[in-house]
Amino acid sequence: MAKKSNAGGRQHTNSTRHPGATDNIPGRVGRLLAKGNKDATYDTAVQRETAVLVAVPDKRQADARTQEYLDELAFLAETAGVDVQHRFVQRLDKPDIRTFVGEGKLAEIKAYVRHKGITVVIFDDDLSPSQLRNLEAELEVKIVDRSLLIIDIFATRAKSATARAQVELAQYQYLLPRLTGLWSHLDKQRGGGVSQRGPGETEIETDRRVVRDRIALLKEKLKDFDKQSHTQRKSRGGIVRVALVGYTNVGKSTIMNLLSRSDVFAENKLFATVDSTVRKISFDNVPFLLSDTVGFIRKLPTRLIESFKSTLDEIREADLLVHVVDISHPSFEDQIEVVNETLKDIEAADKPMLLVFNKIDQYRHDTEEEKQAGFEGMNEDEDAPQRPTLQQLQATYMAKLHDPVIFISAQERENIDELRALITRHVAEIHYQRYPNSGMNFTVEA
């Protein structure tokens, strides 16, 4: 109970609120302390978590690449609703087996976390269960690795029953090997033999059994969802299917909205779309199904790829892939490679593909000052070429690639008619190859 005054009768002077209120205690505790006082007020605002980022790149990795990876991690954290306060980088030949970072860097992170009141430490790589436990014991704050951060974002974005089940399965698969440290408050007997297991081990075994049962249940549920999705795809008949694929946040949903005149959720955040969306479209009397799929990302957790099998089936069973690329991103070629490798992983790399370079309105070629910019303690990539102009890129990609290439701005609606014509022409060709005697005239001007 907060006191109205002390023994000397001195009143609170740092607030204009009623003395029974709690000035510096937000949230539920503040509400409990102020409960019963009709004049008391309290802060109900949700407190945003603060975080620091930690990366352990190879010693040979260039400054710009490390900065880019940390920018992406910061964007992930922002998407998850976390306020990033600082970044820590330590170059090692290989991460420390115990705490991922070295002792000196760990002490530096610990001092900063305590001084600034940081609530989360986010690592750009996956941590082993033992590393996670050791870091939590040392830093005494929440430790989040890259996979958990991505899974958490997926959990907030999933809307359909299928997507929610897929995310929950990924969460339990992530949790299962990390259950060991959850019962450290209970005694544990060391050694073997009958009746030598303490209550901690019993609790862990019980939890593991519960988690495994839940995983099995979710897998069965997803099999049912998969059968339903397969039935839906079969009922679409012989209509040509087109799937939008690409790195996350490249503008796939915006293009989907432009082409289908629908209202698919689009936002300048990573993984704005988790559920696949399918729309029937007809251009110049050429009908086809267009699907917007979940975006890919560097180091996408394998368990998420496995969990999202039914969603990724939209890509596997598509007749034509439209690979959307954010050309304004400094490492868009690396993002293309990530998408191509992921398509190989899901056995969809051999499909016909259109390459669509989006965000040409945001493209900027390098200046000498930008090329030299970096941050202290990092390696400069002296061999990195200066970014060419947009016209040079257009000429280069149109000359070296056999697949069709187009440059657009979905935001500014630039070259969208050309994109519609390109997709229509290829859909018509696929339909004619499949049904040469259909009697339908799909002639479209190039």
Side-chain angles (χ1 to χ4, degrees), residues 170-232:
Q171 288 173 321
Y172 277 118
Q173 289 174 331
Y174 176 89
L175 177 65
L176 184 59
R178 293 167 172 81
L179 286 173
T180 308
L182 297 182
W183 297 100
S184 57
H185 62 289
L186 298 175
D187 295 330
K188 295 180 184 178
Q189 294 282 352
R190 297 185 180 274
V194 178
S195 301
Q196 292 299 306
R197 294 178 181 175
E201 290 297 327
T202 303
E203 292 285 1
I204 292 170
E205 290 173 355
T206 301
D207 276 3
R208 282 176 178 161
R209 183 165 58 251
V210 170
V211 170
R212 288 194 184 101
D213 289 345
R214 185 62 182 168
I215 289 174
L217 179 63
L218 287 168
K219 285 183 176 179
E220 289 299 319
K221 185 185 291 187
L222 285 172
K223 283 183 182 179
D224 293 336
F225 287 142
D226 192 35
K227 290 178 182 177
Q228 295 172 13
S229 299
H230 183 67
T231 302
Q232 289 174 351

Side-chain angles (χ1 to χ4, degrees), residues 24-273:
N24 300 316
I25 306 178
R28 182 172 178 269
V29 175
R31 293 197 294 273
L32 289 174
L33 291 176
K35 189 176 181 181
N37 190 331
K38 64 179 181 179
D39 295 321
T41 60
Y42 43 84
D43 185 9
T44 59
V46 177
Q47 299 298 309
R48 193 178 186 190
E49 289 187 302
T50 56
V52 296
L53 309 181
V54 181
V56 182
D58 184 88
K59 289 184 176 180
R60 294 163 295 186
Q61 185 168 289
D63 172 8
R65 183 59 54 85
T66 302
Q67 189 170 11
E68 173 200 330
Y69 288 168
L70 283 170
D71 287 343
E72 182 177 88
L73 187 64
F75 202 0
L76 282 168
E78 180 185 337
T79 302
V82 179
D83 182 20
V84 176
Q85 299 286 318
H86 194 67
R87 303 176 178 190
F88 291 93
V89 177
Q90 184 177 33
R91 295 183 175 278
L92 298 173
D93 289 327
K94 61 180 180 179
D96 186 273
I97 193 171
R98 180 178 171 273
T99 56
F100 202 75
V101 294
E103 291 185 6
K105 183 61 67 174
L106 183 62
E108 183 183 343
I109 296 171
K110 186 175 183 178
Y112 186 90
V113 165
R114 288 188 173 181
H115 178 65
K116 296 291 186 179
I118 300 298
T119 58
V120 187
V121 177
I122 303 175
F123 286 78
D124 191 37
D125 291 278
D126 284 353
L127 301 172
S128 68
S130 62
Q131 288 171 336
L132 188 64
R133 291 194 303 272
N134 294 334
L135 286 166
E136 286 178 341
E138 289 283 347
L139 300 178
E140 299 178 337
V141 293
K142 188 190 303 181
I143 306 297
V144 175
D145 61 14
R146 184 181 178 87
S147 284
L148 183 58
L149 182 61
I150 294 175
I151 291 172
D152 182 72
I153 295 171
F154 270 58
T156 61
R157 299 294 189 181
K159 303 301 180 185
S160 68
T162 303
R164 288 197 297 268
Q166 290 166 333
V167 172
E168 187 179 355
L169 175 60
Q171 288 173 321
Y172 277 118
Q173 289 174 331
Y174 176 89
L175 177 65
L176 184 59
R178 293 167 172 81
L179 286 173
T180 308
L182 297 182
W183 297 100
S184 57
H185 62 289
L186 298 175
D187 295 330
K188 295 180 184 178
Q189 294 282 352
R190 297 185 180 274
V194 178
S195 301
Q196 292 299 306
R197 294 178 181 175
E201 290 297 327
T202 303
E203 292 285 1
I204 292 170
E205 290 173 355
T206 301
D207 276 3
R208 282 176 178 161
R209 183 165 58 251
V210 170
V211 170
R212 288 194 184 101
D213 289 345
R214 185 62 182 168
I215 289 174
L217 179 63
L218 287 168
K219 285 183 176 179
E220 289 299 319
K221 185 185 291 187
L222 285 172
K223 283 183 182 179
D224 293 336
F225 287 142
D226 192 35
K227 290 178 182 177
Q228 295 172 13
S229 299
H230 183 67
T231 302
Q232 289 174 351
R233 288 191 291 269
K234 284 182 64 177
S235 67
R236 296 169 186 168
I239 190 168
V240 176
R241 285 178 279 181
V242 180
L244 296 169
V245 300
Y247 209 80
T248 183
N249 200 44
V250 295
K252 296 188 301 300
S253 297
T254 303
I255 293 174
M256 177 80 170
N257 290 337
L258 286 176
L259 297 180
S260 65
R261 295 181 175 87
S262 60
D263 56 352
V264 175
F265 180 73
E267 188 180 10
N268 186 30
K269 287 188 177 180
L270 301 181
F271 303 114
T273 301

Side-chain angles (χ1 to χ4, degrees), residues 352-399:
M353 183 182 297
L354 307 180
L355 196 59
V356 178
F357 288 101
N358 189 25
K359 303 187 182 182
I360 59 174
D361 57 306
Q362 300 177 27
Y363 181 82
R364 301 289 183 272
H365 68 276
D366 283 342
T367 63
E368 191 62 30
E369 292 78 10
E370 289 171 338
K371 186 179 178 183
Q372 293 176 357
F375 52 96
E376 188 176 357
M378 307 294 286
N379 292 340
E380 293 186 2
D381 190 357
E382 298 178 353
D383 298 328
Q386 187 170 332
R387 296 188 78 193
T389 64
L390 182 60
Q391 290 74 21
Q392 290 172 328
L393 272 179
Q394 288 175 327
T396 300
Y397 272 91
M398 287 180 176

